[in-house]
Amino acid sequence: MSDDTTVTPEDVAVAEAAPAVHAIDPATDTVARTLASVEPRVGVSKPDTILVADGVQRRFGGMTAVDVEHLEVQRGAITALIGPNGAGKTTFFNLLTGFDKPNHGHWMFDGKPIAGMAAAKVAKSGMVRTFQLTKALSRLTVLDNMLLAARGNPGENLFGSLVKPLWARAERENTEKALEILARFKLDTKKDDFAGSLSGGQRKLLEMARALMTDPTMIMLDEPMAGVNPALVQSLLGHIQALRDEGMTVLFVEHDMHAVRHISDWVVVMAEGRVVAEGPPHSVMQDQAVVDAYLGAHHDTDLGDDALLDPAVLARLEAEEEKR
Amino acid sequence: MDELTRVLTQALAELIAPTTAAYALAAIGLNLHFGYTGLLNMGQAGFMLLGAYGFGIATIAGAPFWLAFLIAMAAGALFALILGLPTLTLRGDYLAIVTISAAEIIRMLGRSTVFQEWTGGASGLKGNQFKETFQALSPLPDGRMALGPLEYINTGSDSWWTRLFAWGLVLVAVLFVWLITRSPWGRVLRGIREDEDAVRALGKSVFSYKMQALVLGGVLGALAGLVFVLPRSIAPDGLGRTVTFFVWTVMLLGGAATLFGPVLGSMLFFAVYMLLRAGMRTGLEGVVSSTFVEQFGGLLVGVTLMILVIFRPQGILGNKRELAFNVR
Ligand SMILES: Nc1ncnc2c1ncn2[C@@H]1O[C@H](COP(=O)(O)OP(=O)(O)OP(=O)(O)O)[C@@H](O)[C@H]1O
Ligand SMILES: [Mg+2]
């Protein structure tokens, strides 16, 4: 959260004007169309799931950080995971990707049970995540960060590494691919710089680019837009949609409601560890449980409402809440 | 004037001394651990002692030279496996604690009377018990040879053959480390050094890579031990904590994560160390005792290490650019 930018209405106006992102239109968007027929109810089953989680619980001391009874994620869709600070989104990501162990629960990815699997194996099976607090490999160049992520390089085997001809070709091809991805993220001019010299936002971009280098089946992004400038956010959203259109499944955590509303096919809302609502973006943001989770009970405000970006309106809402 | 030449010659001799080569080898191993992978091995002397014992005991038991050589390597590898298995999944500091105590345990076991039959206890194994096979391997003719001001016998304990072999081994080690660290394999190691969770998230088995690095560095440490005892006896107290501390100084002086850093560091360290001690011994003759010189020399090493870490943490060959931004 440290490198979150505050979004002003002007930024949003810029974002709104950029053409890269096409707003979800159920008529043309097959995934959205499929999901439109799914009842927006917590734990609802989806027609083609890639991830199914059951009874996932994680407690820290007496506090239950995650308690997800049943959640299904549609294959080939962009699913947003939203919720207030401390809702347990990152912890849930950590559990799913093997970076943390649950107290209870199991989950299937692509038809295979992966609960309890080591993080590296989870990633190898195609579920690749990024971190909320970026993990750039500082004293490696940007290009090396990318090349490190490539799969199946024979030079990553100790014995293979001794014979350069064995891996020179893989390295060349990977470099080409890396430069192409870096160009998409406007990092190609930085390829020979140490990753540690990048700015906070650039590191976010690098981490996402690096994750893509692994050719994941499902990419899990923890606040990918935090700290990224609004114009770039716009093109990032376009890229994420392009990934989806190529068949990748995207699950992302984001606090920027406009990003969520624009690109997600489905939204899952967490609060205090539980999934409190899920559904298509427009309807879910009007859901009473969601508004309650974010703003306290008894507001008839839609979370997607631009008015919420206005500090004055927010202050008024908070004041009202306090009076209650 | 004569005295000055003598002091300088002594320092020059250190540049190519077998012990300098042994430290270079040990530092090359430690560099694989710390410089490239970020593993805190605080017990490199333990690996060296095991390598020395492995070689010495095998030779005494009748093994030919190269078999004893392999046994020394295997001892280092096994020690690395045993230390790595429980600790490499934990945070880095645990490896430091485990290696420092394990090295002490090896030394204590070497000293103890329980294994005296094989290790010779605290007095260790005498050189003439285990050096025959090595010296028999020498291709050099009998006699002595002088190279500039340096003169040694061709074959023997403190000989040209020992130097040739020791530095040959250093050369092979440098070549090997160059090959593996310039490769994608080396890149994974450096990635782990920076942030192992990030590497894990990309689907690499961090544990396996750390283990490979620990074993390879440990094997180099064991070979360093073998080289270390070629011109002397195998005494457990000769490979104690001080040696680990010197190896660290050597590596940091030359520059961690650089190819030639450990070699340069070792040569420079021992040449300067000798210059200081021989200089003091000659210049302050009668003023201070020779034990004082040794103690003061040791103190200077400590101060040098501190100054180095504070003012030039990247060492002599290290890349300044790498430290231009905050390293966590
Ligand atoms: N290692 C930990 N030890 C103890 N408590 C933890 C730990 N990790 C997370 N928590 C707690 O679990 C809860 C959920 O944290 P989590 O990081 O998952 O929230 P989040 O939904 O990602 O929030 P944000 O939007 O601020 O990133 C928080 O109350 C947090 O304090
Ligand atoms: Mg979080």
Side-chain angles (χ1 to χ4, degrees):
Chain A
M1 279 308 296
S2 57
D3 48 8
D4 242 357
T5 48
T6 48
V7 177
T8 66
E10 285 81 14
D11 288 336
V12 175
V14 170
E16 226 76 93
V21 182
H22 48 93
I24 302 296
D25 175 5
T28 55
D29 190 317
T30 50
V31 188
R33 196 165 355 130
T34 315
L35 287 173
S37 59
V38 175
E39 187 192 347
R41 170 171 58 79
V42 173
V44 70
S45 84
K46 316 273 184 327
D48 181 13
T49 54
I50 189 165
L51 178 73
V52 184
D54 270 300
V56 181
Q57 244 188 50
R58 176 67 166 112
R59 285 193 296 273
F60 293 111
M63 195 268 285
T64 306
V66 169
D67 183 6
V68 173
E69 252 159 50
H70 186 81
L71 180 69
E72 299 189 4
V73 175
Q74 170 79 4
R75 184 189 306 274
I78 300 177
T79 304
L81 180 61
I82 66 171
N85 293 130
K89 306 180 295 291
T90 299
T91 310
F92 190 48
F93 261 36
N94 289 346
L95 293 172
L96 290 179
T97 52
F99 280 85
D100 194 3
K101 298 264 173 286
N103 298 89
H104 291 292
H106 49 95
W107 54 93
M108 311 266 284
F109 172 65
D110 227 354
K112 293 180 291 282
I114 59 162
M117 201 185 256
K121 263 185 96 185
V122 172
K124 231 180 259 170
S125 75
M127 185 198 260
V128 177
R129 59 93 53 98
T130 65
F131 294 89
Q132 179 172 6
L133 299 171
T134 44
K135 293 187 183 297
L137 304 168
S138 298
R139 284 181 293 170
L140 260 59
T141 64
V142 168
L143 184 59
D144 272 345
N145 264 267
M146 296 292 285
L147 292 177
L148 177 65
R151 273 161 202 270
N153 189 335
E156 283 186 1
N157 173 293
L158 176 58
F159 299 104
S161 77
L162 292 168
V163 191
K164 190 168 177 185
L166 283 181
W167 47 265
R169 217 186 95 194
E171 195 77 347
R172 223 172 23 249
E173 288 167 1
N174 290 340
T175 307
E176 233 168 75
K177 179 173 159 196
L179 291 178
E180 197 184 300
I181 298 177
L182 283 176
R184 269 200 254 164
F185 289 84
K186 307 254 185 303
L187 285 173
D188 45 341
T189 53
K190 295 268 177 195
K191 70 181 168 69
D192 296 320
D193 291 8
F194 282 113
S197 70
L198 296 181
S199 75
Q202 286 170 330
R203 287 179 203 210
K204 274 259 140 162
L205 297 174
L206 174 60
E207 200 174 327
M208 190 166 153
R210 200 172 60 193
L212 288 180
M213 198 62 196
T214 64
D215 292 324
T217 5
M218 175 166 178
I219 189 167
M220 322 246 298
L221 307 166
D222 201 345
E223 303 200 16
M225 321 294 173
V228 176
N229 87 62
L232 201 47
V233 163
Q234 204 54 27
S235 81
L236 268 189
L237 294 180
H239 291 316
I240 294 179
Q241 280 185 326
L243 294 177
R244 190 261 324 265
D245 296 341
E246 287 162 19
M248 204 180 289
T249 307
V250 182
L251 178 64
F252 76 116
V253 170
E254 191 50 66
H255 284 296
D256 177 349
M257 289 304 155
H258 290 268
V260 170
R261 208 172 38 167
H262 274 288
I263 64 160
S264 46
D265 302 304
W266 194 259
V267 178
V268 175
V269 189
M270 278 181 83
E272 291 167 4
R274 298 167 173 279
V275 176
V276 293
E278 56 174 303
H282 288 278
S283 65
V284 98
M285 287 183 196
Q286 288 154 14
D287 188 299
Q288 197 55 47
V290 178
V291 176
D292 289 356
Y294 270 90
L295 298 172
H298 308 292
H299 281 298
D300 48 4
T301 325
D302 169 1
L303 275 184
D305 191 343
D306 280 0
L308 282 181
L309 293 170
D310 185 348
V313 176
L314 269 180
R316 183 173 57 74
L317 289 176
E318 257 167 47
E320 273 176 33
E321 186 59 27
E322 249 160 53
K323 257 185 272 154
R324 294 187 52 86
Chain B
M1 201 58 221
D2 255 9
E3 282 172 347
L4 181 65
T5 343
R6 210 183 65 233
V7 170
L8 287 177
T9 310
Q10 275 180 325
L12 184 71
E14 284 295 293
L15 285 180
I16 60 159
T19 305
T20 308
Y23 273 94
L25 265 180
I28 291 170
L30 184 64
N31 195 24
L32 260 184
H33 290 159
F34 177 76
Y36 290 103
T37 324
L39 299 174
L40 285 167
N41 170 11
M42 291 289 168
Q44 189 68 331
F47 286 93
M48 294 170 77
L49 186 55
L50 265 182
Y53 274 139
F55 171 70
I57 294 170
T59 305
I60 291 169
F65 177 77
W66 290 111
L67 178 62
F69 186 91
L70 284 180
I71 288 174
M73 287 173 75
L78 193 69
F79 193 46
L81 280 172
I82 292 170
L83 296 186
L85 274 175
T87 50
L88 287 183
T89 48
L90 306 175
R91 238 181 37 214
D93 338 21
Y94 291 94
L95 181 67
I97 298 165
V98 167
T99 45
I100 201 171
S101 33
E104 278 300 284
I105 290 171
I106 297 295
R107 191 171 66 87
M108 292 304 178
L109 288 180
R111 287 178 58 100
S112 78
T113 47
V114 184
F115 302 107
Q116 197 161 22
E117 193 184 328
W118 299 285
T119 64
S123 53
L125 299 167
K126 296 277 162 298
N128 54 14
Q129 288 177 274
F130 63 87
K131 279 177 208 166
E132 220 165 280
T133 54
F134 170 68
Q135 287 167 10
L137 224 60
S138 170
L140 302 176
D142 285 345
R144 303 177 71 80
M145 204 167 69
L147 200 74
L150 306 175
E151 189 188 332
Y152 307 101
I153 48 167
N154 282 344
T155 305
S157 261
D158 188 22
S159 65
W160 283 113
W161 167 230
T162 309
R163 283 169 176 73
L164 208 63
F165 179 81
W167 288 103
L169 211 53
V170 170
L171 194 73
V172 172
V174 167
L175 191 72
F176 177 72
V177 169
W178 174 66
L179 282 176
I180 57 175
T181 54
R182 68 164 180 167
S183 74
W185 184 84
R187 190 167 52 214
V188 179
L189 289 197
R190 283 180 286 127
I192 291 171
R193 175 192 70 194
E194 297 304 304
D195 193 323
E196 56 178 75
D197 274 345
V199 176
R200 220 169 256 139
L202 298 172
K204 319 276 170 198
S205 169
V206 169
F207 178 80
S208 152
Y209 280 95
K210 288 209 281 194
M211 188 57 99
Q212 291 172 41
L214 190 67
V215 167
L216 288 178
V219 167
L220 287 171
L223 290 179
L226 188 160
V227 170
F228 186 82
V229 297
L230 285 180
R232 51 171 72 78
S233 64
I234 304 178
D237 292 341
L239 286 164
R241 284 159 311 210
T242 321
V243 173
T244 298
F245 170 60
F246 278 19
V247 174
W248 271 93
T249 310
V250 159
M251 182 199 62
L252 291 173
L253 178 67
T258 63
L259 185 60
F260 293 105
V263 181
L264 181 75
S266 186
M267 293 173 114
L268 197 67
F269 176 84
F270 284 102
V272 173
Y273 190 42
M274 177 55 84
L275 202 63
L276 279 174
R277 286 178 307 157
M280 277 194 291
R281 246 182 266 136
T282 321
L284 302 175
E285 210 178 348
V287 185
V288 295
S289 70
S290 66
T291 35
F292 173 82
V293 167
E294 288 302 318
Q295 286 163 353
F296 191 68
L299 188 146
L300 278 180
V301 174
V303 173
T304 313
L305 183 59
M306 279 195 274
I307 292 176
L308 193 69
V309 171
I310 296 167
F311 293 105
R312 203 177 162 85
Q314 77 272 35
I316 295 168
L317 296 180
N319 185 348
K320 194 97 200 264
R321 201 161 66 103
E322 287 193 11
L323 293 170
F325 46 84
N326 278 341
V327 179
R328 286 174 309 116

